[in-house]
Amino acid sequence: MATFYPLIRNGGGSLFLILLSCVFLVSSLLCVLGRPATFEQDFRATWSESHIRHIDQGRTIQLMLDQSSGCGFASKVKYMFGRVSMKIKLVPGDSAGTVTAFYMNSDTDSVRDELDFEFLGNRSGQPYTVQTNVYAHGKGNREQRVNLWFDPSADFHTYTILWNHKHIVFSVDDFPIRVYKNNEAKGVPYPKMQAMGVYSTLWEADNWATRGGLEKIDWSKAPFNAYYKDFDIEGCSVPGPASCSSNPSNWWEGAAYQELSAIQARRYRWVRINHVVYDYCQDKSRFPVTPPECLAGI
């Protein structure tokens, strides 16, 4: 008899499908099987495939936005808990009015769960802002914004979402920029019932993206291009064994991932003190009554 726990894992910049725990009771042999995979095998275009370009034999993906269309892609399967990361090089120069997004989404309409990175374009010379948001059981409006402390269009940087039963951590180059804790015990919804796919899009949103919509997109600068590589998805694929997502032996459920390390905590405090430019928890015009998760600690 064999038991399989399908995971997707990155190795050397390419994707690997890891079939773990092929356990044969007769011989007590543990088998670890793997296959190299390309972008085409694990992702699909969701919007305007003609604007998606494959570079370096598919190891790097270019998304393009012009006046005719933006574009996007998504994973072919959904995942339940784990870690997702991508290296992204954002739109350079005058990118005002553009949004480059990397997110997880349950694709379940009004009761959706969603974890968002949205990179808001800027006028040349202004800092790039990344907006994060968390939807749980259909409720969102939990935006926070951080001005990045480097030029994210000059080179690739790693953007990561860690999602386990204890918390969700958004990180930039191993610097946590947001932590959303599981406070269900205090009546705060937490995404744990629905698997989510991995998505990315590049699109025009000049009605809100840059300075609240005051800065409009300059189409004379088009096309706008963003680049992706080193996709890394480690989690329980759905459909798959139901026991996988509740298995406490999954590495992302381990003690080292239940809270930030001392180094991560110091980096998190530095980001929060120096680079947060908007936090819905502090926005009394939108929330006269402080949302419960803000009081419970995020």
Side-chain angles (χ1 to χ4, degrees):
M1 183 178 73
T3 304
F4 296 93
Y5 295 91
L7 302 175
I8 291 211
R9 191 179 187 102
N10 180 13
S14 61
L15 287 166
F16 286 83
L17 177 63
I18 307 297
L19 300 178
L20 295 177
S21 302
C22 175
V23 182
F24 294 88
L25 297 182
V26 174
S27 61
S28 297
L29 176 65
L30 177 64
C31 297
V32 179
L33 306 176
R35 67 158 175 85
T38 64
F39 176 87
E40 290 89 344
Q41 287 174 293
D42 292 280
F43 292 88
R44 59 184 174 83
T46 55
W47 173 30
S48 191
E49 188 170 4
S50 64
H51 283 53
I52 301 176
R53 181 184 174 201
H54 301 256
I55 303 172
D56 190 23
Q57 298 181 327
R59 286 186 284 269
T60 301
I61 304 299
Q62 178 196 69
L63 300 190
M64 182 179 72
L65 166 67
D66 59 21
Q67 282 186 283
S68 67
S69 183
C71 60
F73 62 84
S75 60
K76 291 181 179 178
V77 300
K78 294 181 179 180
Y79 302 88
M80 196 72 185
F81 300 110
R83 183 181 67 186
V84 180
S85 70
M86 297 182 184
K87 289 184 178 178
I88 307 174
K89 184 162 68 171
L90 296 175
V91 176
D94 186 346
S95 58
T98 70
V99 174
T100 306
F102 158 43
Y103 59 103
M104 301 186 71
N105 190 309
S106 63
D107 194 25
T108 47
D109 299 324
S110 62
V111 293
R112 80 182 188 273
D113 293 333
E114 185 170 314
L115 311 174
D116 292 337
F117 273 114
E118 292 179 309
F119 304 94
L120 311 182
N122 62 358
R123 286 268 102 95
S124 298
Q126 299 300 312
Y128 241 105
T129 299
V130 56
Q131 174 171 284
T132 59
N133 202 353
V134 175
Y135 282 79
H137 306 179
K139 183 181 183 302
N141 297 322
R142 298 184 174 98
E143 300 91 347
Q144 294 184 359
R145 293 184 179 183
V146 171
N147 278 349
L148 294 174
W149 51 95
F150 54 86
D151 180 358
S153 67
D155 204 351
F156 286 92
H157 292 267
T158 303
Y159 304 92
T160 304
I161 300 170
L162 172 73
W163 172 34
N164 61 29
H165 284 81
K166 187 67 176 291
H167 60 188
I168 297 159
V169 182
F170 296 82
S171 298
V172 177
D173 289 339
D174 293 325
F175 278 68
I177 66 167
R178 182 173 187 175
V179 178
Y180 185 85
K181 296 179 181 179
N182 184 342
N183 279 303
E184 282 188 309
K186 299 179 181 179
V188 179
Y190 188 80
K192 70 172 191 179
M193 302 302 295
Q194 302 184 100
M196 290 190 269
V198 181
Y199 296 81
S200 191
T201 54
L202 174 57
W203 50 294
E204 176 264 321
D206 71 358
N207 61 322
W208 67 271
T210 307
R211 293 185 58 218
L214 295 177
E215 303 282 358
K216 300 301 184 182
I217 197 166
D218 182 354
W219 288 114
S220 71
K221 302 295 194 300
F224 302 98
N225 299 314
Y227 300 85
Y228 297 74
K229 68 178 184 179
D230 293 355
F231 308 95
D232 186 349
I233 307 176
E234 304 182 57
C236 295
S237 60
V238 176
S243 60
C244 181
S245 62
S246 59
N247 186 349
S249 297
N250 291 328
W251 70 260
W252 54 84
E253 302 289 356
Y257 300 94
Q258 295 297 295
E259 60 184 11
L260 300 182
S261 69
I263 292 175
Q264 289 175 322
R266 286 197 297 271
R267 290 175 171 177
Y268 184 48
R269 284 194 296 271
W270 177 79
V271 171
R272 304 298 296 181
I273 291 170
N274 295 288
H275 295 283
V276 172
V277 294
Y278 176 80
D279 183 350
Y280 76 107
C281 288
Q282 308 300 323
D283 191 341
K284 296 300 182 183
S285 64
R286 290 179 65 197
F287 302 100
V289 177
T290 302
E293 66 270 19
C294 301
L295 297 173
I298 58 172

